Amino acid sequence: MNGTFLGMPAFPQAAARAVRDGQLRANLRHATHTIRDKRARAVAELPDWAELRAAGKAIKDHTLRHLDRYLVQLEESVTAAGGTVHWAADAEEANRIVAGLIRATGDSDIEKREVVKVKSMATQEIGLNEALAAEGITAYETDLAELIVQLGDDRPSHILVPAIHRNRAEIREIFADRMAAWGRPAPESLTDSPAELAEAARLHLREKFLRARVAVSGANFMVAETGTLVVVESEGNGRMCLTLPRTLISVVGIEKVVPTWRDLEVFLQLLPRSSTAERMNPYTSLWTGTTEDDGPSEFHLVLLDNGRTAALADQVGRQALRCIRCSACLNVCPVYERAGGHAYGSVYPGPIGAILNPQLRGTSSPVDASLPYASSLCGACYEVCPVAIDIPEVLVHLRERVAEQGGHPLERAAMAAAGYVLDHPAALAAAERLAGRTRALHPRRLPGPGRAWTDSRDLPEVPAEPFRDWWRRNRA
Amino acid sequence: MRVALFATCVNDALFPATAVATVRLLERLGVTVDFPAGQTCCGQPQYNTGYRRACEPLVRRTARAFAGYDHVVTPSGSCVAMVRDNYPRIGARAAAERRGSELTDAATALAPRVVELTEFLVDVLGVEDVGAYFPYSVTYHPSCHGLRMLGLGERPLRLLRAVKGLELLELPGAQECCGFGGTFAVKNAAVSAAMAEDKLANALGTGAQVLCGADNSCLLHLGGTLRRRGDALRPLHLAEILASTEEHPWRPS
Ligand code: SF4
């Protein structure tokens, strides 16, 4: 997966650092609360939201159950429409395919050394920009937030708003300091007004659009019956990339396929309201293979597995593949709000990241083993998810996997001891009585794992008598 | 009517006053309460931490302890959610692992009969005014499991509004998690503490004297934070407010 995330500390340590960063907490709190309130209003407008949500879930479940069939159908449709389909088992293979395709295009050397990019999670997941850079190819991000991240030599921290952790003043600074190194510099007089920042980005990006011969995109959906790819966006930069260059390479996760054109009706309602709280997203671009004298003359679709078939094999966990990357779960998550996106060690942060990463990457690294625990199981993510992914259920399921692969020895011992006591009421009563009698001796601060509790909270005072004994004295 | 009280392990060991208040309240409303001694813990701490197999004996134990009762009343929404939502899952997983239908049968027999205290009062007994008297200002934190898994909705608030002398103050951001989350409070202590801080800032901002909840687990976490900070806001379980009357008013311990 993305090289920039290697060596991440486990979630609790990374999150603890983020919690102490007052500016970050304020930025995140402001952004997530604004969008979550807007989303709630946008969703409340639709009387049939519950039915739409159920339909979205059903279409995705059906597709996932017959994924083999729909992918083959997709390949046939794309090929018939003049495109070429490539299959990539993992990140390395996908990157190799894309680099090879870029090298094979363009008339001049310079044209083979730069590409424009439509914001895409899949290419970030595989670390495409870094892989291309190693081959001497520069990939320019054209989404405003991605541009901020790229110029700032930063990592994305949100699915939809990758620079959510930055405020306007910080963005102005990044533009002023870094734009010149990547192309057209920012105007001397740049202030942090949103209009000026957007204009600076527009001028900077225009040069890239007009020069690039190759564009790389992802896709929100792929329609099996027609071979059509769909990108949903707000700024129109994606549309520029999809129409101006001669070659278009789309890297898409295999779970993005839907069977029919009609299915888009459901998702094009669910997605914008859940993600940006818009009734309809400003730009929906659809492309099918190649068309003479219109758009790219060459189209390549790279179908990416990278852990997805492994996730598909897990009966409980596979529902994570229904995700349409709307980011609604991030915006309501109280843990994401405090920890920020970087703590998740992946391009998929928040609740969906906490269940997706350990499935795509396995649970052997410390950060992946800690992600299923990065939730209080409050259920807010499940409540907003437009395709009804029961994220808490999957979190608990993945915790079991982590516990089984060893877990924490102390925790395992404690669970076993508790299990014994709780299955023997007499032992439980004795333990409760003992705690009551020795309560004068209880320490205020605990050693070991309990320290984490007493660092910020007092322990409860143990009552003189457990309820069990009160009952025996008064009612039995 | 005769019901079984499922006190839950947290109330039994740490908050006996809540269980006592539940008994007194139900008896005052003409209900006969039993406390089946075989009960211990619903197994939620184990299950939510990833030790599913470790809570299977507790599923069996809990189902056996409450066999024969039409209503098992619990002053803890999260334990009810465990029984209703997760017991059937535990059963289904065992069946998928080819270990038979015993746990599914236990879950099916038990789950629909376990009700949270406010559900029992409002839905089963059909009362909202339980004749309580509590002359303090109160703000109510709806715990996540009660709010989202059980869908308790307005029930606790309707009960509180009917209490004589009580001034109910709206808690801003009420639906946000307090940061307890069982072992989450220890595994991700920094985030958990930050969530508690924000919840308490909202609660203190109401100026209320009492922070009411229907789940002592959350109150354990919030109360511990309040005590550490030395704030005067007093955490209190809803059952203790509803049990308080003019003849036997609640007294701060
Ligand atoms: S899990 Fe659901 S809410 Fe979260 S990003 Fe995916 S579709 Fe949206």
Side-chain angles (χ1 to χ4, degrees):
Chain A
M1 204 141 174
N2 198 332
T4 47
F5 285 106
L6 284 182
M8 278 294 295
F11 184 85
Q13 286 82 46
R17 206 171 308 141
V19 161
R20 285 193 296 271
D21 183 340
Q23 182 66 61
L24 175 70
R25 256 177 92 179
N27 292 356
L28 283 167
R29 186 183 164 77
H30 175 74
T32 55
H33 280 249
T34 309
I35 182 81
R36 85 168 66 153
D37 295 345
K38 274 172 65 185
R39 178 211 155 268
R41 284 197 297 275
V43 163
E45 280 180 0
L46 288 188
D48 61 346
W49 183 257
E51 287 82 4
L52 272 171
R53 186 178 188 240
K57 172 181 188 284
I59 295 167
K60 284 278 181 180
D61 277 346
H62 167 84
T63 316
L64 290 171
R65 219 168 18 248
H66 305 287
L67 195 61
D68 49 347
R69 190 170 94 214
Y70 287 118
L71 286 172
V72 169
Q73 192 190 0
L74 176 76
E75 181 178 32
E76 286 163 6
S77 321
V78 169
T79 311
T84 311
V85 175
H86 310 258
W87 299 81
D90 55 21
E92 207 248 295
E93 190 177 7
N95 288 332
R96 198 169 358 102
I97 293 170
V98 176
L101 289 169
I102 296 169
R103 258 190 263 107
T105 60
D107 305 324
S108 69
D109 204 35
I110 179 90
E111 285 170 4
K112 297 179 191 181
R113 277 191 279 141
E114 44 180 51
V115 297
V116 284
K117 280 191 67 204
V118 186
K119 175 180 167 1
S120 122
M121 299 305 299
T123 57
Q124 285 190 358
E125 174 189 325
I126 60 175
L128 179 68
N129 292 10
E130 294 82 355
L132 292 181
E135 302 264 337
I137 303 167
T138 310
Y140 295 108
E141 293 292 348
T142 66
D143 171 82
L144 179 56
E146 289 292 356
L147 176 71
I148 296 165
V149 169
Q150 186 171 48
L151 293 177
D153 206 10
D154 199 356
R155 285 176 285 119
S157 69
H158 189 275
I159 294 179
L160 197 79
V161 202
I164 195 170
H165 56 294
R166 300 288 199 183
N167 62 26
R168 286 190 341 227
E170 291 171 301
I171 294 167
R172 194 209 75 87
E173 213 158 290
I174 292 169
F175 279 11
D177 291 351
R178 304 280 302 148
M179 260 186 180
W182 285 81
R184 185 187 172 112
E188 288 284 335
S189 59
L190 185 68
T191 73
D192 68 359
S193 92
E196 278 189 43
L197 293 173
E199 183 59 17
R202 186 173 299 129
L203 293 172
H204 179 82
L205 289 172
R206 183 146 304 164
E207 289 183 2
K208 314 276 183 232
F209 290 133
L210 292 173
R211 204 167 62 206
R213 292 306 174 92
V214 181
V216 175
S217 85
N220 294 92
F221 307 100
M222 306 183 285
V223 181
E225 67 173 359
T226 56
T228 304
L229 274 73
V230 185
V231 157
V232 171
E233 49 152 349
S234 297
E235 295 169 7
N237 292 335
R239 176 161 295 182
M240 303 276 267
C241 297
L242 297 170
T243 45
L244 289 171
R246 265 204 304 252
T247 302
L248 173 59
I249 305 167
S250 301
V251 182
V252 189
I254 51 174
E255 82 282 18
K256 297 269 157 152
V257 68
V258 296
T260 70
W261 184 269
R262 272 201 66 169
D263 297 324
L264 294 177
E265 175 206 337
V266 172
F267 295 108
L268 292 181
Q269 291 185 75
L270 287 174
L271 182 53
R273 282 183 202 257
S274 301
S275 58
T276 48
E278 288 164 309
R279 295 184 177 124
M280 194 180 177
N281 53 286
Y283 297 89
T284 303
S285 303
L286 304 104
W287 65 100
T288 310
T290 54
T291 311
E292 218 169 312
D293 298 327
D294 186 18
S297 51
E298 251 191 79
F299 171 60
H300 295 275
L301 171 59
V302 182
L303 288 171
L304 178 70
D305 185 325
N306 208 30
R308 285 162 174 77
T309 45
L312 198 59
D314 186 303
Q315 281 184 33
V316 179
R318 71 166 62 129
Q319 55 184 308
L321 297 179
R322 292 205 297 257
C323 176
I324 56 173
R325 313 275 189 264
C326 71
S327 76
C329 58
L330 278 63
N331 299 328
V332 295
C333 177
V335 177
Y336 174 87
E337 181 189 326
R338 274 95 186 173
H342 291 159
Y344 294 79
S346 158
V347 296
Y348 302 114
I352 182 61
I355 61 169
L356 199 56
N357 296 313
Q359 295 198 77
L360 295 183
R361 307 190 296 206
T363 46
S364 56
S365 80
V367 69
D368 288 317
S370 69
L371 288 179
Y373 294 95
S375 166
S376 64
L377 303 181
C378 79
C381 49
Y382 178 28
E383 192 176 56
V384 295
C385 178
V387 284
I389 300 172
D390 192 338
I391 296 176
E393 181 191 17
V394 182
L395 284 167
V396 169
H397 174 70
L398 294 172
R399 287 177 185 189
E400 193 181 329
R401 193 178 293 172
V402 174
E404 264 168 13
Q405 87 193 6
H408 193 287
L410 235 150
E411 177 180 283
R412 217 170 38 239
M415 289 294 167
Y420 177 83
V421 172
L422 293 172
D423 204 23
H424 295 79
L428 174 64
E432 285 171 348
R433 252 166 246 148
L434 180 67
R437 269 188 231 118
T438 57
R439 64 200 183 123
L441 310 169
H442 293 177
R444 293 243 308 149
R445 309 257 171 160
L446 290 176
R451 234 199 81 183
W453 181 276
T454 52
D455 271 351
S456 69
R457 291 155 289 215
D458 276 0
L459 288 168
E461 205 153 306
V462 175
E465 179 184 60
F467 175 73
R468 213 167 275 277
D469 290 354
W470 178 91
W471 180 269
R472 190 160 316 144
R473 281 197 304 110
N474 293 281
R475 290 291 188 279
Chain B
M1 191 187 301
R2 195 176 198 97
V3 304
L5 171 69
F6 179 22
T8 80
C9 60
V10 167
N11 289 321
D12 177 21
L14 295 176
F15 299 97
T18 295
V20 171
T22 308
V23 172
R24 295 215 162 109
L25 169 67
L26 292 174
E27 287 177 347
R28 193 173 82 218
L29 297 169
V31 177
T32 308
V33 182
D34 285 349
F35 177 75
Q39 64 175 286
T40 56
C41 166
C42 66
Q44 182 175 200
Q46 293 82 355
Y47 182 74
N48 279 357
T49 312
Y51 297 81
R52 170 172 57 92
R53 295 287 295 261
C55 68
E56 288 184 357
L58 300 178
V59 175
R60 271 182 223 115
R61 162 167 297 285
T62 307
R64 223 181 305 123
F66 297 109
Y69 289 95
D70 288 340
H71 301 289
V72 180
V73 182
T74 309
S76 164
S78 93
C79 302
V80 176
M82 172 69 187
V83 172
R84 262 195 233 161
D85 285 17
N86 293 333
Y87 276 25
R89 277 182 186 149
I90 293 165
R93 296 289 293 163
E97 288 162 8
R98 297 175 195 282
R99 289 188 289 113
S101 65
E102 179 221 344
L103 284 168
T104 304
D105 297 343
T108 321
L110 176 67
R113 297 182 288 118
V114 178
V115 288
E116 193 271 342
L117 176 62
T118 68
E119 288 179 320
F120 181 73
L121 296 173
V122 175
D123 301 353
V124 182
L125 292 186
V127 290
E128 283 182 15
D129 185 347
V130 296
Y133 169 73
F134 190 78
Y136 302 94
S137 57
V138 173
T139 193
Y140 177 74
H141 165 62
S143 294
C144 298
H145 291 175
L147 182 74
R148 282 182 270 266
M149 289 171 86
L150 300 182
L152 293 183
E154 287 277 299
R155 290 181 188 84
L157 294 173
R158 296 216 300 261
L159 288 159
L160 282 171
R161 279 192 208 108
V163 173
K164 211 168 136 201
L166 186 149
E167 185 195 359
L168 186 61
L169 300 167
E170 198 189 321
L171 179 66
Q175 308 215 337
E176 279 165 43
C177 177
C178 71
F180 174 59
T183 45
F184 172 78
V186 174
K187 283 181 183 279
N188 281 287
V191 177
S192 168
M195 289 161 71
E197 266 170 44
D198 292 346
K199 175 63 68 180
L200 290 175
N202 285 335
L204 290 162
T206 64
Q209 296 164 292
V210 170
L211 173 60
C212 170
D215 230 310
N216 271 328
S217 311
C218 307
L219 295 181
L220 170 79
H221 159 73
L222 292 173
T225 311
L226 282 168
R227 290 235 320 239
R228 174 62 54 86
R229 296 162 35 130
D231 288 311
L233 181 63
R234 161 91 197 206
L236 195 61
H237 194 284
L238 178 66
E240 294 176 58
I241 294 178
L242 298 181
S244 169
T245 58
E246 259 160 316
E247 301 77 55
H248 302 286
W250 173 82
R251 284 191 212 297
S253 53

